[in-house]
Amino acid sequence: MEVSKKNKLNKIVKEIETCQACNLCKNRIKSVVSRGNENAKIILIGEAPGKLENEIGKPFVGKSGQQLNDLLSKVGFNPEQDIYFCNVVKCRPVRNNKDRKPNKQEIEACVKYLNAQIEIVKPEIIILCGNTAKKIFKINKPLKMVHGSCIDYKGIKLIPVYHPRASIIDEVKFNDLKKVKKLRG
Ligand code: URA
């Protein structure tokens, strides 16, 4: 019998709950693996959990998440149904009680989980939300050059977009997500 996507993903969740591959585990209240639909054709990859995500255990549930959900809904997506949300790292990077970017070592320690999620979900489209997600796929050109473009990766369409907290007008963020919607139909 084929093991379901849910079972495979639950196995990863269990692994991450006790992961000690980097120092981020010391601050972990909850690991943050995903929200949304594992059968969706679109994965959206953010950077890392923030304060609220660490408390609740789901990605994009804070201010950035609200902004992102609003934009996705405006372009016509049903976010929970149409998208599988996750991050490059699964535990909150923090300095002096504030969110910070994950460092190279933390990303390297965690990227195997992201790769496993992609392998299991098998998306047609991956939205790379912000610089950290973009760099995982070795897209080195700056976001201002590649946002909203479609890049092939092993038959998957990668679309880099600005992170919701980037200081860029909403119209640009909206137009990029609109392109994703057009691709998906
Ligand atoms: N929350 C997340 O889960 N990821 C981000 O990149 C930002 C906020």
Side-chain angles (χ1 to χ4, degrees), residues 122-183:
K122 298 198 189 313
E124 288 172 11
I125 295 172
I126 300 181
I127 303 174
L128 302 171
C129 193
N131 255 314
T132 303
K134 176 176 80 60
K135 279 198 228 145
I136 291 289
F137 291 88
K138 315 253 181 303
I139 302 169
N140 294 321
K141 287 185 184 156
L143 257 181
K144 67 174 184 227
M145 286 176 70
V146 293
H147 73 94
S149 65
C150 185
I151 299 154
D152 179 73
Y153 168 78
K154 299 182 183 171
I156 303 173
K157 296 180 175 76
L158 300 179
I159 314 212
V161 304
Y162 285 104
H163 195 276
R165 69 173 168 250
S167 339
I168 296 287
I169 53 169
D170 273 359
E171 196 188 342
V172 175
K173 297 176 188 172
F174 175 87
N175 286 339
D176 288 348
L177 292 174
K178 192 91 205 162
K179 286 182 194 159
V180 181
K181 185 74 177 89
K182 275 201 185 132
L183 271 180

Side-chain angles (χ1 to χ4, degrees), residues 52-79:
L52 203 61
E53 284 84 6
N54 188 31
E55 286 163 12
I56 292 177
K58 287 190 176 170
F60 286 108
V61 290
K63 194 171 161 218
S64 295
Q66 190 55 56
Q67 287 169 323
L68 188 59
N69 260 9
D70 288 349
L71 281 168
L72 288 166
S73 303
K74 258 193 212 159
V75 300
F77 283 115
N78 173 345

Side-chain angles (χ1 to χ4, degrees), residues 70-100:
D70 288 349
L71 281 168
L72 288 166
S73 303
K74 258 193 212 159
V75 300
F77 283 115
N78 173 345
E80 283 303 305
Q81 187 59 42
D82 297 336
I83 295 173
Y84 177 87
F85 296 83
C86 58
N87 283 310
V88 172
V89 301
K90 314 305 186 199
C91 302
R92 181 190 181 205
V94 64
R95 182 183 298 121
N96 299 331
N97 241 352
K98 289 215 171 86
D99 295 338
R100 63 162 172 83

Side-chain angles (χ1 to χ4, degrees), residues 16-47:
I16 298 174
E17 274 169 6
T18 54
C19 178
Q20 300 197 344
C22 78
N23 278 333
L24 296 186
C25 64
K26 293 185 182 151
N27 183 56
R28 178 171 63 219
I29 301 173
K30 289 199 172 149
S31 50
V32 177
V33 185
S34 72
R35 73 171 169 92
N37 181 1
E38 71 276 3
N39 292 310
K41 299 287 178 232
I42 303 175
I43 291 187
L44 183 145
I45 305 175
E47 181 177 84

